[in-house]
Amino acid sequence: MKNYKVFAINPGSTSTKIAMFEGGREVFSENVSHDAGILKEFKEISDQFVYRKEMILEELKKAGQTLEGVDAFSARGGGLVNVEGGVYKVEEKLLEHARIGYTVKHPATLGAQLAYAFSKEYGGEAFVVNPPDVDEFCDEARVTGLKGVYRESRIHALNQKEIGIRYGAKVGRRYEKLNLIICHIGGGISVTAHKNGRMVDSNDIANGDGPMAPTRCGQLPVKDVIAMCFSGKYTEREMRDKVTKTGGLVDHLGTSDAREVGRMIEQGNAYARLVYNAMIYEIGKTVGAMAAVLKGKVDAVILTGGISHDTYVVEYLKEMVSFVGPVEVMAGEFEMEALAAGAIRVLDGQEEAKCYIGVPVWKGFETEF
């Protein structure tokens, strides 16, 4: 494999993670912080483009890094229609949808714009790797008990796919030939059934589904939620925040930091133990559901994400789900590595880059029957 040079870009709400890779090895990384006050001055997210670009270049200059000779600029992406997993070239239609945030308004949409601009200025390819818009669900996973309300894939696609590929390499088998249940356990928790390289079912980390998480409510009894909505105690904004920002551990214990919860438990806080155990219990229960999706043919259950560093969580889950398959711990998040690895697979001819045409892989069922 050639010693490819790849620059990875992952914009977040108030920072942009950047990293330089050479031959697949990280040689530089930085989390470029942005002034929240300055960001508020921009009307649209795309208006932040010049500011963020200049901040990135300034950080590179301070570190003695250059974008000269970069073979590929690889970004997280977002704001696209739902697509199959893979590496996408940043071309006209993808860039257009990223600029306007076609499906969602989020700073991640700046990734494709930055990668494209750098590629035009310094040469090299521009890619988006397994964006948040990846949706490979089977049809049965989409249907709910309310017509017009469907489940869509909102999961940690970038890290989930990378973990599947890494595990395959570790055991000497292609990811596309494996059945895996991958549990990303972090600020959000996604438990996903990977069937022969496709994420066919999972919980929705954005709309209230699956296990509760440090900041997210997870699945709830709907009638009780309706009662809360019409109680007059909460605004619509507050109820929406309970789903992804102020639910879960935050609502119960006032913190999203699992380490802090661990300290509460060590100090004898029985309620903290109950809530933390309940979160882990729900993860294990969801693993069982995904095992059913895969009809019991599971090559491995993999634990990833930051909270997978917690041995208490790992041992609890092993006790619950070891009957499903061997439990592998690959703790941490590998998003920057995933961005570089995806670009390198394409550059090296191991994978063919896909063309984004702006047509969703799933449009709904009403017009099909």
Side-chain angles (χ1 to χ4, degrees):
M1 184 176 69
K2 180 184 171 183
N3 195 39
Y4 293 108
K5 189 175 181 180
V6 178
F7 186 62
I9 310 163
N10 188 352
S13 297
T14 58
S15 66
T16 303
K17 294 179 182 177
I18 56 174
M20 188 74 75
F21 293 81
E22 293 184 11
R25 183 176 63 89
E26 184 182 275
V27 296
F28 164 78
S29 68
E30 189 61 61
N31 191 21
V32 183
S33 296
H34 305 303
D35 188 308
I38 293 176
L39 292 178
K40 287 181 180 179
E41 296 175 4
F42 299 106
K43 183 178 179 182
E44 302 291 342
I45 288 173
S46 288
D47 296 340
Q48 300 175 16
F49 168 76
V50 173
Y51 169 67
R52 292 210 187 209
K53 181 185 175 187
E54 290 176 350
M55 290 282 290
I56 290 170
L57 291 173
E58 182 180 323
E59 200 66 45
L60 288 168
K61 185 177 180 180
K62 284 195 300 185
Q65 293 288 324
T66 178
L67 297 180
E68 297 290 346
V70 169
D71 296 289
F73 297 90
S74 191
R76 181 182 175 199
L80 313 177
V81 299
N82 52 67
V83 295
E84 291 183 335
V87 180
Y88 287 83
K89 294 180 180 179
V90 182
E91 297 176 314
E92 184 177 346
K93 180 59 70 172
L94 189 151
L95 194 61
E96 174 194 342
H97 281 189
R99 281 175 177 156
I100 63 175
Y102 188 74
T103 53
V104 67
K105 309 295 183 183
H106 190 278
T109 60
L110 290 161
Q113 300 174 61
L114 289 163
Y116 183 81
F118 287 141
S119 73
K120 290 302 178 185
E121 188 171 346
Y122 295 96
E125 302 280 353
F127 299 119
V128 162
V129 180
N130 285 315
D133 319 280
V134 171
D135 189 334
E136 300 172 329
F137 276 12
C138 64
D139 284 347
E140 291 82 357
R142 301 185 187 281
V143 181
T144 73
L146 290 180
K147 186 176 181 180
V149 177
Y150 298 118
R151 297 176 65 249
E152 297 181 55
S153 179
R154 297 181 182 90
I155 56 181
H156 302 91
L158 182 60
N159 194 53
Q160 288 252 357
K161 287 280 189 178
E162 178 67 11
I163 289 298
I165 293 168
R166 286 184 175 217
Y167 179 77
K170 180 179 179 179
V171 299
R173 296 176 62 188
R174 287 181 58 80
Y175 165 61
E176 292 79 9
K177 298 295 183 181
L178 292 168
N179 280 359
L180 304 170
I181 299 173
I182 301 180
C183 309
H184 181 112
I185 311 173
I189 295 174
S190 56
V191 181
T192 307
H194 294 244
K195 182 178 181 180
N196 297 327
R198 294 179 64 83
M199 302 186 296
V200 296
D201 201 350
S202 186
N203 61 289
D204 186 333
I205 63 172
N207 283 351
D209 188 25
M212 77 161 113
T215 62
R216 308 180 192 197
C217 66
Q219 188 171 331
L220 300 169
V222 178
K223 288 181 69 175
D224 291 342
V225 177
I226 293 172
M228 288 181 71
C229 289
F230 287 91
S231 68
K233 296 179 181 178
Y234 309 99
T235 65
E236 180 182 351
R237 180 72 267 168
E238 288 171 332
M239 288 303 299
R240 287 184 178 275
D241 284 349
K242 284 180 178 293
V243 175
T244 58
K245 295 180 180 180
T246 61
L249 298 184
V250 171
D251 197 41
H252 283 285
L253 304 172
T255 181
S256 62
D257 190 334
R259 295 166 298 185
E260 177 61 27
V261 175
R263 286 190 284 270
M264 291 180 184
I265 294 171
E266 289 174 1
Q267 292 166 6
N269 189 323
Y271 186 64
R273 179 180 292 277
L274 172 64
V275 171
Y276 203 47
N277 284 353
M279 184 184 81
I280 305 167
Y281 171 88
E282 290 177 9
I283 296 169
K285 186 167 67 172
T286 310
V287 169
M290 295 303 134
V293 168
L294 297 173
K295 300 179 181 177
K297 298 175 181 177
V298 180
D299 293 298
V301 177
I302 305 175
L303 310 181
T304 186
I307 297 179
S308 294
H309 286 290
D310 188 335
T311 55
Y312 180 84
V313 173
V314 170
E315 293 308 312
Y316 194 123
L317 285 173
K318 281 184 175 180
E319 186 177 353
M320 280 191 77
V321 307
S322 289
F323 76 96
V324 173
V327 178
E328 179 82 9
V329 180
M330 302 176 73
E333 296 185 4
F334 301 88
E335 290 188 338
M336 303 307 283
E337 294 89 343
L339 293 175
I344 290 172
R345 288 195 300 272
V346 171
L347 295 172
D348 202 43
Q350 301 173 38
E351 183 177 328
E352 186 175 346
K354 296 181 177 180
C355 177
Y356 177 81
I357 59 175
V359 177
V361 293
W362 180 75
K363 304 176 185 177
F365 293 128
E366 280 85 350
T367 59
E368 298 180 16
F369 298 94

